[in-house]
Amino acid sequence: MRAFVHDTAAARVVFAPGAVDRVPDEADRLGAGRVLLIAEGGRPDGEALAEALGPRVVARWSEVVMHVPAPVADRAAQVAMDRRADLLVSLGGGSATGLAKAVALRTGVPILAIPTTYAGSEMTPIWGQTADARKTTGRDPRVLPRVVVYDPRLTLGLPARVAAGSGMNALAHAVEGLYSAGASPVTALLADEAVRALASALPRVVAAPTDLDARGEALYGAWLAGWVLGTAGMGVHHKVCHVLGGTWNLPHADVHSAVLPYAAAFNASAAPEAMARLANALGADPGDAPGALWDLARAVGAATSLAPLGFPADAVALATDLVVAAAPDNPRPVDQTGVTELLHAALRGQRPAATVGIHQASLGGPGHRGGYS
Ligand SMILES: NC(=O)c1ccc[n+]([C@@H]2O[C@H](COP(=O)([O-])OP(=O)(O)OC[C@H]3O[C@@H](n4cnc5c(N)ncnc54)[C@H](O)[C@@H]3O)[C@@H](O)[C@H]2O)c1
């Protein structure tokens, strides 16, 4: 068995249809009386939450921008300090959670997060922000929410197309958690279950967006996947996505969906056990995990290529330099040739070729390397 260090990043989790009604009690439980409520403007559930929290809300922030521009975080943090907030309540997708984290990083004020997509950021001590067209990420225990409230009902209005991409984003956390440096037997079990839940739920969410059971299972998978990301860490896939998102301002979840099958193919030969495990959780042939990810993305209408997302082919060289310079911890060394191939494959968007299964791979049999078509 592989040696490991298991260092759990954990928040209190309240998960139920209708759980948002418990937020005032959860705030009281934390001893908070001065809430900065962060929710995108125009959200009806934001209005309802503000009403439920009543006089605890000392300020509201509605400017939520993808990839957390640093000046927005600076201004929101100033409001938190001016109003002497003692709790940040964020309601929304990864962008709202991300802004709350950037404020927590600047002020030390704790977070209660209510996620409404499958981004999973609420379960990680990882912050990210963008300045001068570069995304910076880091880890800090202060940004890990103290409480996470998951209410599948809040996700019923998430459009099928957004849900599909967001679900692939969640899947990416679980996939990288199977081979990342911080993987342990526990995170592997969580990742297996996250993959199983997401692969089962996403087609049902897309077919019937108001199916509360399907929404609940997708959110459950997203919770586990976010936990895996926060505990086990990440590899080349997340680094590629951060570079593309931060530098070319591409839509975060769609980029994850378009890159994931090719990142898995990139790592296939270096992480055969993780790939076999992933294939098993996806119900695919042992050597076909990257292809099965592509099939799932296609089946749910999520992105399978970077080209339609606005990533230009002439940007591959710069993107490759940025990814290689960031030197992500990854089972296969991250070099110019490999990343260039990965990005071109993600631009072409064709189904990755299957490789031989783990038994032949571990025997060093022919056809062992992962493949792009
Ligand atoms: N730090 C981490 O651990 C981590 C992990 C994952 C993602 N992230 C960050 O999260 C951000 C992306 O998050 P995202 O993909 O959730 O995008 P997002 O928060 O921007 O949401 C995507 C879209 O969905 C809408 N939306 C959200 N919830 C909805 C709902 N319930 N009903 C209807 N519409 C809804 C939003 O208004 C937005 O238009 C990126 O900045 C990414 O870097 C960070």
Side-chain angles (χ1 to χ4, degrees), residues 289-311:
L293 292 170
W294 189 93
D295 291 342
L296 179 61
R298 193 166 166 105
V300 298
T304 50
S305 163
L306 285 173
L309 303 182
F311 180 64

Side-chain angles (χ1 to χ4, degrees), residues 40 43 67 93-95 116-117 119 121 124 126 135 154 157-158 252:
E40 244 175 323
R43 290 188 67 119
H67 302 309
S95 299
T116 63
T117 67
S121 174
T124 83
I126 303 163
K135 185 159 187 173
L154 297 181
L158 189 65
H252 177 83

Side-chain angles (χ1 to χ4, degrees), residues 5 131-132 151 234 243 301 320 364:
V5 173
D132 303 323
D151 185 342
M234 53 189 110
V243 163
T320 300

Side-chain angles (χ1 to χ4, degrees), residues 191 202 329 369:
L202 292 179
D329 203 344
R369 286 182 57 80

Side-chain angles (χ1 to χ4, degrees), residues 7 19 51 56 94 120 128 135 137 139 141 160 164 178 235 237 282 294 317 341:
D7 188 357
E51 205 169 303
R56 297 179 191 84
K135 185 159 187 173
T137 59
R139 293 178 80 93
L178 285 169
H237 169 81
L282 287 167
W294 189 93
E341 272 177 25

Side-chain angles (χ1 to χ4, degrees), residues 2-363:
R2 193 176 141 185
F4 62 88
V5 173
H6 180 72
D7 188 357
T8 307
R12 172 179 164 90
V13 171
V14 179
F15 193 117
V20 72
D21 297 342
R22 298 194 213 165
V23 170
D25 286 347
E26 290 294 328
D28 292 346
R29 198 180 152 276
L30 290 172
R34 300 184 65 81
V35 168
L36 170 60
L37 176 58
I38 297 174
E40 244 175 323
R43 290 188 67 119
D45 44 14
E47 296 308 314
L49 181 58
E51 205 169 303
L53 283 166
R56 297 179 191 84
V57 177
V58 294
R60 294 182 61 176
W61 187 272
S62 60
E63 185 185 356
V64 173
V65 185
M66 198 173 52
H67 302 309
V68 190
V72 175
D74 289 339
R75 284 189 280 114
Q78 193 59 51
V79 170
M81 287 186 289
D82 291 347
R83 300 295 298 148
R84 291 182 291 110
D86 58 10
L87 183 66
L88 309 170
V89 173
S90 64
L91 172 76
S95 299
T97 313
L99 177 60
K101 286 174 153 185
V103 174
L105 189 66
R106 287 160 170 76
T107 62
V109 179
I111 302 172
L112 184 158
I114 311 160
T116 63
T117 67
Y118 311 131
S121 174
E122 67 282 354
M123 287 302 295
T124 83
I126 303 163
W127 55 266
Q129 63 182 23
T130 307
D132 303 323
R134 292 286 183 274
K135 185 159 187 173
T136 315
T137 59
R139 293 178 80 93
D140 192 308
R142 286 177 303 168
V143 311
L144 179 71
R146 295 273 292 279
V147 179
V148 182
V149 174
Y150 287 103
D151 185 342
R153 279 194 194 142
L154 297 181
T155 67
L156 289 174
L158 189 65
R161 219 203 82 62
V162 183
S166 188
M168 294 303 294
N169 181 192
L171 206 52
H173 306 330
V175 170
E176 289 234 290
L178 285 169
Y179 54 65
S180 56
S184 77
V186 173
T187 56
L189 290 171
L190 295 173
D192 284 348
E193 176 67 354
V195 171
R196 188 208 57 72
L198 289 161
S200 150
L202 292 179
R204 292 189 289 128
V205 164
V206 169
T210 54
D211 178 341
L212 189 60
D213 279 346
R215 292 286 191 173
E217 190 173 16
L219 199 58
Y220 161 70
W223 163 48
L224 297 178
W227 191 2
V228 170
L229 176 71
T231 307
M234 53 189 110
V236 71
H237 169 81
H238 280 78
K239 189 47 69 185
V240 167
C241 295
H242 289 162
V243 163
L244 300 189
T247 306
W248 286 274
N249 197 28
L250 303 182
H252 177 83
D254 294 341
V255 168
H256 270 274
S257 183
V259 171
L260 184 61
Y262 311 103
F266 177 93
N267 277 323
S269 61
E273 286 176 32
M275 286 303 137
R277 201 164 176 143
L278 173 61
N280 187 43
L282 287 167
D285 290 339
D288 200 23
L293 292 170
W294 189 93
D295 291 342
L296 179 61
R298 193 166 166 105
V300 298
T304 50
S305 163
L306 285 173
L309 303 182
F311 180 64
D314 62 8
V316 167
L318 174 58
T320 300
D321 286 347
L322 293 171
V323 171
V324 173
D329 203 344
N330 190 69
R332 175 176 158 187
V334 176
D335 60 8
Q336 293 276 342
T337 310
V339 176
T340 303
E341 272 177 25
L342 190 166
L343 288 170
H344 278 301
L347 274 166
R348 284 194 299 277
Q350 288 165 7
R351 189 184 193 281
T355 63
V356 297
I358 182 171
H359 302 302
Q360 283 158 285
S362 58
L363 293 171

